[in-house]
Amino acid sequence: MKTIEEINQHNVKKILSEKKIPDFYPGDVVKVGVRITEGKKERIQYFEGVCIAKKSRDLNSSVTVRKISFGEGVERTFPLYGTLIDSIKVIRSGKVRRAKLYYLRDRTGKSARIAEKIRKKIGIDVDVKPETVTEENVAPPAEAPKEEAPAVEAAPAAEAPKEEAPAAEVSKEEPKSESSSEKK
């Protein structure tokens, strides 16, 4: 017999397969697309604000988003896996040190701002699929460089100009050393 927790986890997996919900945390500025039905018409209205609380309780998970609208603070709590939520986009990541940001309710203006978290990019795209291995993609075997080395030794004419170049550098360095002794 399945417990309620197992049923909830199964339903969450089913919803996540249909809808993509990004990873976000309290302090992030998120844009939540909410389905609104007006008569027979349905439209999507976006609510953009700071995520001040996130409750992770399987199917009962919710997010509280706060924004300032015409000088008045407005908070909405959305069920994370509800049917009314169309999309969630992370606009900006915030750098905070606590899980619930209820202290923002008392603040206005500059004191209510949250610093942006700067994420380092390491140059790897997560969404890119790995390439399939073919004969063209495979690196040449280690024996190939050993075969090239004897070919270089067989050409002594190519090495002769290389020996002349260091001699020219030495002659250039000698006047520099003389000029340094003249300065003394």
Side-chain angles (χ1 to χ4, degrees), residues 94-133:
K95 184 178 181 183
V96 294
R97 295 172 64 180
R98 47 189 83 240
K100 307 289 190 245
L101 305 178
Y102 298 135
Y103 68 90
L104 291 176
R105 293 174 177 165
D106 301 331
R107 297 188 180 192
T108 57
K110 287 187 176 182
S111 65
R113 289 188 298 180
I114 295 175
E116 185 172 1
K117 184 191 299 181
I118 299 170
R119 295 185 179 174
K120 295 180 181 178
K121 293 188 178 182
I122 56 174
I124 299 173
D125 292 334
V126 178
D127 296 336
V128 177
K129 294 180 181 177
E131 295 182 14
T132 57
V133 179

Side-chain angles (χ1 to χ4, degrees), residues 131-160:
E131 295 182 14
T132 57
V133 179
T134 61
E135 292 180 16
E136 297 171 359
N137 296 353
V138 177
E143 298 173 7
K146 292 179 182 177
E147 294 175 4
E148 293 176 8
V152 174
E153 293 175 7
E159 293 179 8

Side-chain angles (χ1 to χ4, degrees), residues 5 7 30 32 45 66 72 74 76 82 85 87 95 97 100 116 118 130 136 158 160-162 166 175 183:
E5 294 172 1
I7 294 169
V30 294
V32 181
Q45 183 176 12
R66 178 181 175 82
E72 198 68 32
V74 180
R76 282 189 73 178
I85 302 295
S87 64
K95 184 178 181 183
R97 295 172 64 180
K100 307 289 190 245
E116 185 172 1
I118 299 170
E136 297 171 359
K162 290 180 183 176
K183 290 180 183 177

Side-chain angles (χ1 to χ4, degrees), residues 20-171:
K20 183 182 178 188
I21 297 175
D23 288 334
F24 62 95
Y25 305 96
D28 294 353
V29 176
V30 294
K31 190 174 187 178
V32 181
V34 185
R35 288 193 186 113
I36 293 182
T37 307
E38 295 173 340
K40 295 179 183 178
K41 294 183 180 179
E42 188 174 287
R43 65 184 177 89
I44 296 172
Q45 183 176 12
Y46 290 99
F47 190 88
E48 183 175 344
V50 178
C51 173
I52 62 168
K54 187 175 180 183
K55 293 182 182 179
S56 298
R57 291 181 173 86
D58 290 333
L59 196 60
N60 301 323
S61 299
S62 64
V63 177
T64 304
V65 181
R66 178 181 175 82
K67 75 173 183 177
I68 306 295
S69 181
F70 298 103
E72 198 68 32
V74 180
E75 287 184 12
R76 282 189 73 178
T77 303
F78 301 104
L80 198 58
Y81 302 111
T83 56
L84 293 178
I85 302 295
D86 182 61
S87 64
I88 298 176
K89 295 178 185 174
V90 179
I91 305 297
R92 196 166 76 97
S93 296
K95 184 178 181 183
V96 294
R97 295 172 64 180
R98 47 189 83 240
K100 307 289 190 245
L101 305 178
Y102 298 135
Y103 68 90
L104 291 176
R105 293 174 177 165
D106 301 331
R107 297 188 180 192
T108 57
K110 287 187 176 182
S111 65
R113 289 188 298 180
I114 295 175
E116 185 172 1
K117 184 191 299 181
I118 299 170
R119 295 185 179 174
K120 295 180 181 178
K121 293 188 178 182
I122 56 174
I124 299 173
D125 292 334
V126 178
D127 296 336
V128 177
K129 294 180 181 177
E131 295 182 14
T132 57
V133 179
T134 61
E135 292 180 16
E136 297 171 359
N137 296 353
V138 177
E143 298 173 7
K146 292 179 182 177
E147 294 175 4
E148 293 176 8
V152 174
E153 293 175 7
E159 293 179 8
K162 290 180 183 176
E163 292 175 5
E164 295 174 8
E169 291 176 355
V170 172
S171 63

Side-chain angles (χ1 to χ4, degrees), residues 4-21 56-61 80-82:
I4 294 173
E5 294 172 1
E6 291 173 355
I7 294 169
N8 285 344
Q9 290 174 355
H10 174 71
N11 289 336
V12 167
K13 289 178 184 176
K14 183 179 175 183
I15 291 169
L16 285 176
S17 66
E18 299 169 3
K19 183 175 17 176
K20 183 182 178 188
I21 297 175
S56 298
R57 291 181 173 86
D58 290 333
L59 196 60
N60 301 323
S61 299
L80 198 58
Y81 302 111

